[in-house]
Amino acid sequence: MKAGGALTAFAAAGWLNPAHAEAQEWNKAAFDVRSIEELVKILGGEAASPNDAIDFNAPDIAENGAVVPLAVASAVPGTESIAILIEKNPNVLAGLFSIPEGTLPEIQTRVKMAETCNVYALVRAGGKNLYAVKEIKVTLGGCGG
Amino acid sequence: MKSSSGDEIGMKHRLTAWVALGIGLMLGIGWATAADDRRALDQIQKYRDMLKDGNPADLMELKGEGLWTTPRGPKQATLEQCDLGLGPGVLEGAYAQLPRWFDDVGRVLDAESRLIHCMSTLQGLTRDEALQNWTRPGSDIEALVTFVAARSRGLPIRASQTHPREADMAAVGEALFFRRAGPLDFSCATCHSQDARRIRLQELPNFLDPASARESMIQWPAYRVSQSAVWTLERRLIDCIRQMRAPDADYGSDAIIALQVYLQRQASGGVLEAPGIKR
Amino acid sequence: MANPMKIRARADGDLVEVKVLMAHVMETGQRKNQAGELIPAWFIQRVEATYGNRTVLSAQWGPAISANPFLSFKFKGGAKGEKVRITWFDSKGETRTDEVVIG
């Protein structure tokens, strides 16, 4: 099974209906974590380490924290999933994207940031947890909030 | 004497050196600040570019299209025969020429007022029904304006000059733009008549400069990321007036339409990117 | 009823690029209304993208995904004229499915 670590962990916790592997339940525990270390503990695999094979593209400054565009492309062989974590948000995990066979390990999305902080793109591949990190500044400007 | 004069010369040299160093430092600091500013603005441009593809305003455009083509109101009619100035049902380019004079009502109307007119005549809706919840972003009327504006995307803003009242409205709009009012003694011109003005990191358009006016006007209606909602130009103007602490402007009032006519003329020739995206 | 998504899917050879905008408030549960009361959380929790019977992306989201979410991804083995289908499920149990023909 491709998304081995994550799915095994979900299954072990009873979150996965084996009849419909793709119809997994929302992983509340993952969205309650306070750090990348806690997320790795829940999803399983080795401790997270930085890796250059992850291209994490985002502006250095976001004009508004309500919408911060991110693009992540992983050149890590066997990338199974990509997670976005925002260090100082009330819920650190923003999204977890499972990459099935045949789908490129590249996603683009937009997130909310409560304040200027580090944002992590965590790539999971074959029991490894690799990440790229970038500080994104959130500004306030102009009229009308 | 000799030595003191030598001291004087030395003093002068030292003074000159200090002044030169001072000027150099000031310039240096000036350059650093300018470079930082430019880098910050480049990053904000990158931020905006990343949002352009997949503008959530497209969802409002879809909603507007649905409202345009769905039979509604007591007459169960669609808006497909609405005349936005270029003939019944002609959407292409109509928004680029609004506001304009309409013979059938004997008034200069903007997109909002003309749509309300069509919702009343074609569908039998009252003004209140047509306007329902306009104060809440995502309203039907604003979805319709977004849809109509998107049908002028890629076309230049062309101020209509078919009736003398259009020129009158432009003059009224200009007067309102410069008129100081309210407890803050503010006018539109206070913020929007000089180059390189900013509120915090937000650059402000200078509507006296055609290039700057176009850059701003081609974006409306726009998805405002700070509001997670599409704002039409009319909502933007009404909110500017509120922020200036002037008396509330009425929706579709002549004052709001006149301001739009003036701004439209300042931005003539700008190629519409509507719906755009703004902070 | 939830408003429709806007989905674009373009094929370059057998590589299909999909871009989706979803109409959703993505309320965090941490904001207050004008009366000072917390606005309850309401956000998309899961997204599934399928091509025929094949899942081409699945995602789990928290409330930190922006309002009116945008998602873009690419998959191999797609063909022009076939359909991509996207479904979301939110925290109130609402769901919406839309599809688009690959161009």
Side-chain angles (χ1 to χ4, degrees):
Chain A
M1 185 181 276
K2 191 156 187 294
L7 288 186
T8 310
F10 294 160
W15 285 317
L16 195 66
N17 177 348
H20 304 283
E22 69 273 41
Q24 59 203 30
E25 294 294 310
W26 188 63
N27 188 348
K28 184 176 186 305
F31 286 94
D32 282 342
V33 301
R34 301 269 163 197
S35 67
I36 194 166
E37 291 78 16
E38 280 182 40
L39 182 67
V40 165
K41 223 174 271 173
I42 286 179
L43 299 182
E46 297 170 10
S49 59
N51 194 287
D52 286 345
I54 304 161
D55 181 33
F56 185 12
N57 188 21
D60 296 348
I61 301 175
E63 205 170 6
N64 195 287
V67 186
V68 182
L70 310 171
V72 181
S74 167
V76 177
T79 295
E80 295 148 9
S81 70
I82 297 171
I84 306 289
L85 296 94
I86 301 159
E87 199 169 50
K88 292 192 180 170
N89 268 10
N91 299 90
V92 167
L93 180 62
L96 180 60
F97 302 82
S98 302
I99 311 290
E101 188 80 49
T103 294
L104 302 195
E106 292 180 26
I107 56 112
Q108 287 179 44
T109 192
R110 296 167 187 165
V111 297
K112 298 171 198 162
M113 291 179 65
E115 57 184 298
T116 296
C117 69
N118 282 331
V119 178
Y120 293 88
L122 174 71
V123 166
R124 296 169 46 73
K128 288 197 169 69
N129 288 288
L130 308 166
Y131 67 83
V133 60
K134 181 178 171 78
E135 185 189 54
I136 300 176
K137 292 187 173 69
V138 174
T139 70
L140 276 178
C143 277
Chain B
M1 285 290 282
K2 218 174 187 183
S3 71
S4 81
S5 117
D7 278 356
E8 254 173 48
I9 290 164
M11 182 81 92
K12 270 183 190 159
H13 279 175
R14 278 196 298 275
L15 260 176
T16 313
W18 275 114
V19 170
L21 181 62
I23 290 170
L25 276 174
M26 282 191 292
L27 284 175
I29 289 162
W31 287 328
T33 309
D36 284 349
D37 272 6
R38 202 161 45 246
R39 199 158 47 240
L41 293 175
D42 282 352
Q43 286 298 319
I44 284 181
Q45 193 53 50
K46 176 179 175 180
Y47 169 85
R48 290 180 190 162
D49 289 345
M50 284 182 84
L51 294 183
K52 264 186 189 162
D53 187 22
N55 183 348
D58 294 357
L59 296 168
M60 272 290 265
E61 184 186 332
L62 268 183
K63 181 181 172 183
E65 183 171 13
L67 290 166
W68 181 263
T69 54
T70 305
R72 295 199 311 154
K75 298 188 185 175
Q76 280 300 293
T78 72
L79 289 170
E80 288 162 307
Q81 287 306 305
C82 179
D83 181 353
L84 294 165
L86 302 181
V90 181
L91 281 165
E92 179 105 0
Y95 182 84
Q97 297 182 40
L98 285 170
R100 68 182 301 140
W101 171 263
F102 286 90
D103 267 334
D104 55 0
V105 292
R107 261 188 83 194
V108 174
L109 300 179
D110 63 356
E112 279 88 341
S113 342
R114 188 59 184 177
L115 282 162
I116 292 164
H117 170 80
C118 287
M119 288 157 95
S120 153
T121 53
L122 297 174
Q123 299 181 315
L125 295 170
T126 66
R127 182 183 160 82
D128 283 350
E129 285 165 345
L131 268 182
Q132 64 167 323
N133 289 330
W134 90 262
T135 50
R136 213 174 56 202
S139 66
D140 287 357
I141 184 73
E142 289 183 302
L144 280 163
V145 173
T146 307
F147 165 68
V148 167
R151 290 302 175 278
S152 284
R153 189 161 44 217
L155 297 171
I157 297 173
R158 252 175 54 203
S160 174
Q161 307 201 13
T162 59
H163 194 279
R165 273 304 299 278
E166 290 165 346
D168 294 346
M169 287 292 265
V172 170
E174 182 173 16
L176 287 173
F177 182 83
F178 287 101
R179 185 168 183 272
R180 303 174 80 112
L184 301 178
D185 196 28
F186 239 66
S187 71
C188 307
T190 309
C191 290
H192 292 294
S193 64
Q194 292 166 64
D195 288 335
R197 279 236 152 178
R198 298 204 312 218
I199 296 178
R200 289 177 269 184
L201 206 59
Q202 179 77 16
E203 291 175 297
L204 303 176
N206 170 7
F207 287 108
L208 304 188
D209 169 31
S212 178
R214 285 184 199 123
E215 200 182 328
S216 171
M217 290 286 285
I218 59 174
Q219 297 276 330
W220 296 107
Y223 185 80
R224 293 200 56 207
V225 295
S226 57
Q227 313 292 320
S228 301
V230 171
W231 278 32
T232 63
L233 179 60
E234 186 160 335
R235 181 187 289 274
R236 171 67 278 178
L237 291 172
I238 288 173
D239 200 57
C240 283
I241 288 165
R242 179 192 67 77
Q243 286 171 320
M244 286 155 57
R245 310 290 185 269
D248 284 349
D250 287 338
Y251 203 81
S253 60
D254 281 340
I256 288 293
I257 295 173
L259 270 172
Q260 288 180 78
V261 174
Y262 171 65
L263 294 176
Q264 173 202 37
R265 292 195 175 205
Q266 294 304 104
S268 265
V271 176
L272 283 168
E273 289 180 7
I277 194 154
K278 284 179 175 273
R279 187 193 64 82
Chain C
M1 195 195 71
N3 283 317
M5 290 177 234
K6 183 174 178 184
I7 312 172
R8 292 173 289 163
R10 210 184 58 233
D12 181 7
D14 81 332
L15 183 68
V16 177
E17 183 175 30
V18 184
K19 293 176 178 176
V20 195
L21 274 169
M22 306 169 202
H24 202 285
V25 292
M26 300 298 286
E27 198 59 65
T28 58
Q30 323 230 359
R31 288 200 318 153
K32 288 180 179 170
N33 64 16
Q34 284 178 343
E37 302 148 343
L38 274 183
I39 306 169
W42 183 20
F43 56 95
I44 293 175
Q45 293 184 317
R46 290 196 299 116
V47 179
E48 296 289 331
T50 52
Y51 175 73
N53 291 326
R54 182 181 143 200
T55 296
V56 287
L57 191 83
S58 58
Q60 297 209 13
W61 287 354
I65 297 292
S66 299
N68 299 313
F70 174 74
L71 170 66
S72 171
F73 62 94
K74 294 171 186 164
F75 67 91
K76 285 185 269 191
K80 272 190 180 123
E82 299 294 321
K83 284 176 181 170
V84 174
R85 176 189 292 248
I86 313 278
T87 301
W88 57 249
F89 306 85
D90 76 18
S91 56
K92 285 190 184 173
E94 291 183 18
T95 179
R96 175 155 187 120
T97 299
D98 291 279
E99 56 182 24
V100 73
V101 174
I102 300 168

